[in-house]
PDB file of all heavy atoms in Angstrom:
ATOM      1  N   SER A1261      18.564 -12.232   3.447  1.00  0.00           N
ATOM      2  CA  SER A1261      18.651 -10.784   3.205  1.00  0.00           C
ATOM      3  C   SER A1261      17.785 -10.077   4.246  1.00  0.00           C
ATOM      4  O   SER A1261      16.894 -10.680   4.854  1.00  0.00           O
ATOM      5  CB  SER A1261      18.128 -10.446   1.799  1.00  0.00           C
ATOM      6  OG  SER A1261      16.764 -10.827   1.689  1.00  0.00           O
ATOM      7  N   ILE A1306      -8.708  16.365   2.853  1.00  0.00           N
ATOM      8  CA  ILE A1306      -7.450  15.754   3.312  1.00  0.00           C
ATOM      9  C   ILE A1306      -6.532  15.553   2.107  1.00  0.00           C
ATOM     10  O   ILE A1306      -6.971  15.071   1.050  1.00  0.00           O
ATOM     11  CB  ILE A1306      -7.707  14.397   4.007  1.00  0.00           C
ATOM     12  CG1 ILE A1306      -8.552  14.605   5.275  1.00  0.00           C
ATOM     13  CG2 ILE A1306      -6.382  13.690   4.350  1.00  0.00           C
ATOM     14  CD1 ILE A1306      -8.943  13.327   5.994  1.00  0.00           C
ATOM     15  N   SER A1322      -6.347   6.297   1.142  1.00  0.00           N
ATOM     16  CA  SER A1322      -7.304   7.329   0.740  1.00  0.00           C
ATOM     17  C   SER A1322      -8.706   6.733   0.520  1.00  0.00           C
ATOM     18  O   SER A1322      -9.712   7.371   0.820  1.00  0.00           O
ATOM     19  CB  SER A1322      -6.826   8.052  -0.528  1.00  0.00           C
ATOM     20  OG  SER A1322      -6.877   7.204  -1.655  1.00  0.00           O
ATOM     21  N   GLU A1326     -11.843   8.027   2.962  1.00  0.00           N
ATOM     22  CA  GLU A1326     -12.989   8.641   2.300  1.00  0.00           C
ATOM     23  C   GLU A1326     -14.265   7.851   2.585  1.00  0.00           C
ATOM     24  O   GLU A1326     -15.317   8.419   2.880  1.00  0.00           O
ATOM     25  CB  GLU A1326     -12.720   8.738   0.791  1.00  0.00           C
ATOM     26  CG  GLU A1326     -13.493   9.849   0.149  1.00  0.00           C
ATOM     27  CD  GLU A1326     -12.914  10.256  -1.200  1.00  0.00           C
ATOM     28  OE1 GLU A1326     -11.913  10.984  -1.233  1.00  0.00           O
ATOM     29  OE2 GLU A1326     -13.470   9.820  -2.224  1.00  0.00           O
ATOM     30  N   SER A1382       1.806  13.369  10.848  1.00  0.00           N
ATOM     31  CA  SER A1382       2.875  12.584  10.234  1.00  0.00           C
ATOM     32  C   SER A1382       2.682  11.110  10.565  1.00  0.00           C
ATOM     33  O   SER A1382       2.504  10.744  11.728  1.00  0.00           O
ATOM     34  CB  SER A1382       4.222  13.072  10.790  1.00  0.00           C
ATOM     35  OG  SER A1382       5.188  12.047  10.775  1.00  0.00           O
ATOM     36  N   SER A1411      11.132  -1.030   0.533  1.00  0.00           N
ATOM     37  CA  SER A1411      10.260  -0.972   1.705  1.00  0.00           C
ATOM     38  C   SER A1411       9.207  -2.081   1.649  1.00  0.00           C
ATOM     39  O   SER A1411       8.556  -2.282   0.627  1.00  0.00           O
ATOM     40  CB  SER A1411       9.583   0.399   1.723  1.00  0.00           C
ATOM     41  OG  SER A1411       8.803   0.537   2.877  1.00  0.00           O
ATOM     42  N   ALA A1430     -13.612   8.870  11.641  1.00  0.00           N
ATOM     43  CA  ALA A1430     -15.010   8.449  11.460  1.00  0.00           C
ATOM     44  C   ALA A1430     -15.755   8.476  12.789  1.00  0.00           C
ATOM     45  O   ALA A1430     -16.913   8.896  12.865  1.00  0.00           O
ATOM     46  CB  ALA A1430     -15.047   7.047  10.852  1.00  0.00           C
ATOM     47  N   ALA A1456       0.359 -13.482   8.294  1.00  0.00           N
ATOM     48  CA  ALA A1456       1.295 -14.598   8.482  1.00  0.00           C
ATOM     49  C   ALA A1456       1.015 -15.685   7.445  1.00  0.00           C
ATOM     50  O   ALA A1456       1.944 -16.296   6.886  1.00  0.00           O
ATOM     51  CB  ALA A1456       1.169 -15.153   9.897  1.00  0.00           C
ATOM     52  N   GLU A1457      -0.256 -15.917   7.166  1.00  0.00           N
ATOM     53  CA  GLU A1457      -0.609 -16.947   6.179  1.00  0.00           C
ATOM     54  C   GLU A1457      -0.186 -16.516   4.769  1.00  0.00           C
ATOM     55  O   GLU A1457       0.311 -17.325   3.985  1.00  0.00           O
ATOM     56  CB  GLU A1457      -2.119 -17.180   6.249  1.00  0.00           C
ATOM     57  CG  GLU A1457      -2.540 -18.515   5.696  1.00  0.00           C
ATOM     58  CD  GLU A1457      -4.048 -18.716   5.768  1.00  0.00           C
ATOM     59  OE1 GLU A1457      -4.687 -18.266   6.757  1.00  0.00           O
ATOM     60  OE2 GLU A1457      -4.587 -19.311   4.813  1.00  0.00           O
ATOM     61  N   LYS A1498      11.005  -3.094 -10.329  1.00  0.00           N
ATOM     62  CA  LYS A1498      11.964  -2.177 -10.960  1.00  0.00           C
ATOM     63  C   LYS A1498      13.148  -1.991 -10.030  1.00  0.00           C
ATOM     64  O   LYS A1498      14.305  -2.027 -10.442  1.00  0.00           O
ATOM     65  CB  LYS A1498      11.342  -0.785 -11.165  1.00  0.00           C
ATOM     66  CG  LYS A1498      10.233  -0.722 -12.156  1.00  0.00           C
ATOM     67  CD  LYS A1498       9.674   0.709 -12.189  1.00  0.00           C
ATOM     68  CE  LYS A1498       8.184   0.655 -12.329  1.00  0.00           C
ATOM     69  NZ  LYS A1498       7.492   1.912 -12.428  1.00  0.00           N
TER      70      LYS A1498
END
Side-chain angles (χ1 to χ4, degrees):
S1261 61
I1306 297 176
S1322 69
E1326 206 161 281
S1382 152
S1411 184
E1457 202 180 324
K1498 293 177 219 182

